[in-house]
């Protein structure tokens, strides 16, 4: 398998060969909930560097880290290689990141290490996945008491990309104020450079970036001294892993991260060029779907209605007047292999309070309720999806909405 960054031009057929799951009849349009996994992360026979495979870690070096004997040294080396690759992926230093089971848990851990003076103000928007703000509507909310602002880099329902650099500059106009960004919905579609963004904290999930089910949290070195430690009292160190890690990252899954990073390009410039080609392809995908949806008077598209890749990622959500979102999805599934979703996708405040849709959703994402008031229909695409798949989906959707 050749890494995608080695292709002079982006080739969807070649890219699809790198994902074993795409050989099935299922068409995946639920990628915002979790992407398919790259072949080298899964298959030990085709990995670019065998010593960074998950299977190799488990079969040859599944021991405690840090010991002096040979196998422990190999285990530690593979684990550290994973950390180095994860940091490189977002242009951070290894000491500035921690890897854990999920973005949610890492943010929860971060919250326990932050302590603000009495009467401090924290700004958390009620829009997409708990946040969605811009510099011009943030400014009136800021005050000398502001200590923490949280937002997403891109909406997991609207698809809207936010100007994080502008937000960071605005937040940092207040002494001691911190900006925390959820990058989960953006990272599968764009290269992330935390230095260029100017953020204090940034997190994303590898299982939505074609890798294993773990996540990474970044904290800028300048803010590390402000964090208390959750670790044992005898563990000393100012790196984020010591303070927040709690040995919670699956060692073998961390060892699989280098294969993901290598696939998109180990060097920053190469990775940016790779994601540039990817975003161009994804713009065409969402353009095909948006053209159809925008042409129907009974359909409401939430977020940007243009396919411009500068404005949105290919996460498209909509509702249909007089039709329940759950019923639409179920009818699509009855007659096709297209997999999309309905609900609020944990952006419940956005769906309920801002979009004014009853976004009922049960445990583990299972939908509940009948008729209207079932959140949105969400179609989330990534670079391995094809225009033929989108055109086929539109055809089936049109049949369902014509009934």
């Amino acid at each position: 398998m050749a890494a995608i960054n080695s292709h002079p031009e982006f080739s969807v057929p070649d890219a699809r060969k790198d994902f074993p799951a795409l050989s099935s009849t299922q068409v995946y349009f639920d990628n915002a909930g979790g992407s398919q996994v790259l072949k080298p992360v899964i298959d030990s026979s085709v990995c670019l560097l065998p010593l960074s495979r998950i299977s190799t870690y488990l079969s040859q070096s599944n021991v405690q880290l840090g010991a002096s004997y040979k196998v422990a040294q190999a285990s530690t080396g593979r684990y550290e290689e994973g950390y180095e690759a994860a940091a490189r992926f977002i242009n951070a230093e290894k000491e500035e990141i921690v890897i854990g089971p999920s973005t949610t848990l890492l943010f929860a851990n971060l919250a326990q290490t932050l302590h603000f003076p009495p009467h401090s103000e924290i700004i958390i928007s009620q829009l997409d996945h708990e946040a969605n703000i811009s510099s011009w509507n943030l400014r009136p909310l800021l005050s000398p008491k502001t200590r923490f602002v949280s937002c997403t880099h891109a909406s997991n329902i609207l698809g809207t990309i936010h100007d994080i650099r502008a937000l960071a500059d605005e937040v940092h106009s207040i002494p001691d104020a911190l900006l925390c960004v959820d990058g989960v919905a953006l990272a599968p579609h764009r290269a992330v450079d935390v230095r260029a963004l100017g953020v204090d904290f940034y997190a994303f999930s590898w299982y939505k970036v074609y890798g294993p089910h773990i996540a990474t949290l970044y904290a800028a070195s300048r803010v590390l001294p402000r964090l208390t430690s959750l670790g044992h009292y005898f563990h000393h160190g100012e790196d984020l892993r010591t303070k927040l890690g709690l040995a919670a990252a699956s060692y073998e899954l961390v060892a699989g991260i280098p294969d993901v990073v290598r696939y998109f390009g180990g060097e920053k410039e190469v990775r940016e060029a790779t994601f540039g080609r990817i975003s161009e392809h994804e713009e065409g995908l969402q353009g095909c779907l948006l053209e159809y949806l925008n042409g129907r008077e009974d359909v409401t598209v939430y977020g940007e209605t243009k396919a411009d890749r500068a404005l949105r990622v290919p996460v498209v959500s909509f509702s249909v007047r007089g039709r329940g979102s759950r019923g639409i999805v179920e009818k699509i599934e009855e007659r096709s292999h297209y997999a999309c979703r309905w609900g609020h996708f944990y952006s419940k405040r956005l769906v309920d309070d801002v979009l004014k849709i009853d976004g009922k959703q049960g445990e583990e994402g299972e939908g509940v309720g009948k008729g209207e008031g079932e959140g949105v229909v969400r179609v989330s695409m990534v670079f391995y999806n094809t225009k033929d798949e989108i055109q086929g989906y539109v055809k089936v959707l049109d049949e369902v909405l014509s009934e």
Side-chain angles (χ1 to χ4, degrees):
M1 187 210 79
I4 193 173
N5 66 79
S6 66
H7 300 304
E9 295 184 4
F10 179 68
S11 167
V12 180
D14 287 342
R16 289 178 63 85
K17 295 175 184 177
D18 300 330
F19 294 89
L22 301 186
S23 62
S24 72
T25 58
Q26 185 77 74
V27 179
Y28 297 96
F29 287 147
D30 185 31
N31 296 289
S35 64
Q36 297 309 302
V37 180
L38 282 161
K39 192 172 185 179
V41 179
I42 303 168
D43 189 346
S44 62
S45 67
V46 296
C47 195
L48 298 175
L49 285 181
L51 292 183
S52 66
R53 294 192 303 253
I54 293 173
S55 59
T56 300
Y57 187 99
L58 289 172
S59 62
Q60 299 181 19
S61 59
N62 190 34
V63 298
Q64 182 63 282
L65 303 180
S68 58
Y69 57 90
K70 185 177 180 180
V71 174
Q73 289 180 347
S75 177
T76 303
R78 291 164 189 168
Y79 186 75
E80 292 300 325
E81 183 184 349
Y83 256 85
E84 290 167 0
R88 190 165 62 250
F89 192 69
I90 57 173
N91 195 28
E93 297 298 326
K94 185 173 66 171
E95 293 73 24
E96 296 176 306
I97 70 164
V98 61
I99 300 174
S102 68
T103 294
T104 300
L105 183 59
L106 289 175
F107 276 148
N109 286 352
L110 175 63
Q112 295 184 63
T113 69
L114 289 167
H115 302 280
F116 303 116
H119 310 298
S120 294
E121 295 175 353
I122 295 175
I123 300 174
I124 302 177
S125 169
Q126 56 182 337
L127 299 187
D128 63 273
H129 218 285
E130 303 300 312
N132 172 4
I133 49 181
S134 58
S135 57
W136 55 87
N137 63 26
L138 170 63
R139 190 174 300 123
L141 301 176
L142 296 172
S143 81
K145 296 181 179 180
T146 301
R147 290 296 176 267
F148 188 85
V149 177
S150 179
C151 68
T152 57
H153 200 162
S155 165
N156 76 325
I157 283 188
L158 307 178
T160 307
I161 300 173
H162 308 130
D163 188 346
I164 297 302
R165 181 71 226 195
L167 290 172
D169 292 342
E170 199 68 50
V171 170
H172 292 149
S173 69
I174 306 298
D176 297 325
L178 301 171
L179 176 63
C180 179
V181 177
D182 180 342
V184 168
L186 187 284
H189 309 286
R190 301 289 188 275
V192 175
D193 184 341
V194 291
R195 303 243 181 273
L197 293 173
V199 297
D200 299 298
F201 305 104
Y202 193 98
F204 69 98
S205 298
W206 288 99
Y207 73 94
K208 298 183 181 183
V209 192
Y210 321 103
H213 202 296
I214 46 178
T216 291
L217 170 68
Y218 158 84
S221 58
R222 62 182 177 273
V223 304
L224 290 177
R226 298 173 61 175
L227 306 180
T228 58
S229 178
L230 302 180
H232 297 296
Y233 75 93
F234 51 82
H235 281 171
H236 303 289
E238 286 298 313
D239 61 294
L240 192 61
R241 189 186 342 180
T242 300
K243 292 190 171 189
L244 268 71
L246 301 177
S250 171
Y251 294 174
E252 66 273 15
L253 299 186
V254 172
I257 291 176
D259 289 316
V260 180
V261 177
R262 194 175 297 112
Y263 182 78
F264 292 101
E267 299 302 319
K268 177 176 175 289
E269 294 76 14
V270 176
R271 189 163 57 253
E272 288 175 345
T274 300
F275 275 102
R277 294 193 294 271
I278 285 173
S279 67
E280 184 176 4
H281 167 65
E282 292 178 340
E283 182 178 72
L285 294 178
Q286 63 182 353
C288 181
L289 177 58
L290 286 168
E291 181 180 11
Y292 169 76
L293 295 175
N294 290 331
R296 293 190 64 102
E297 294 184 356
D298 57 346
V299 169
T300 299
V301 175
Y302 298 101
E304 293 287 345
T305 57
K306 298 179 181 178
D308 189 346
R309 57 179 166 159
L311 302 176
R312 57 152 42 249
V313 296
V315 177
V316 178
S317 298
F318 63 94
S319 64
V320 181
R321 185 172 62 247
R323 303 287 292 268
S325 295
R326 175 179 182 170
I328 292 171
V329 171
E330 289 179 346
K331 287 184 179 296
I332 290 171
E333 293 171 345
E334 287 172 2
R335 66 184 68 195
S336 74
H337 296 292
Y338 297 111
C340 59
R341 291 284 293 277
W342 64 273
H344 61 67
F345 308 102
Y346 296 94
S347 294
K348 198 168 189 324
R349 289 182 175 87
L350 169 64
V351 171
D352 291 355
D353 302 337
V354 180
L355 302 181
K356 303 298 183 182
I357 304 170
D358 182 2
K360 294 179 180 177
Q361 185 164 307
E363 293 299 321
E364 301 301 323
E366 293 181 2
V368 296
K370 294 291 184 182
E372 290 191 84
E374 295 163 349
V376 298
V377 177
R378 186 179 73 177
V379 182
S380 51
M381 299 152 275
V382 291
F383 71 89
Y384 53 61
N385 289 125
T386 70
K387 186 160 284 189
D388 285 344
E389 289 177 337
I390 288 293
Q391 290 172 340
Y393 176 84
V394 166
K395 181 176 183 295
V396 173
L397 176 61
D398 189 62
E399 293 172 358
V400 169
L401 299 187
S402 298
E403 292 179 346

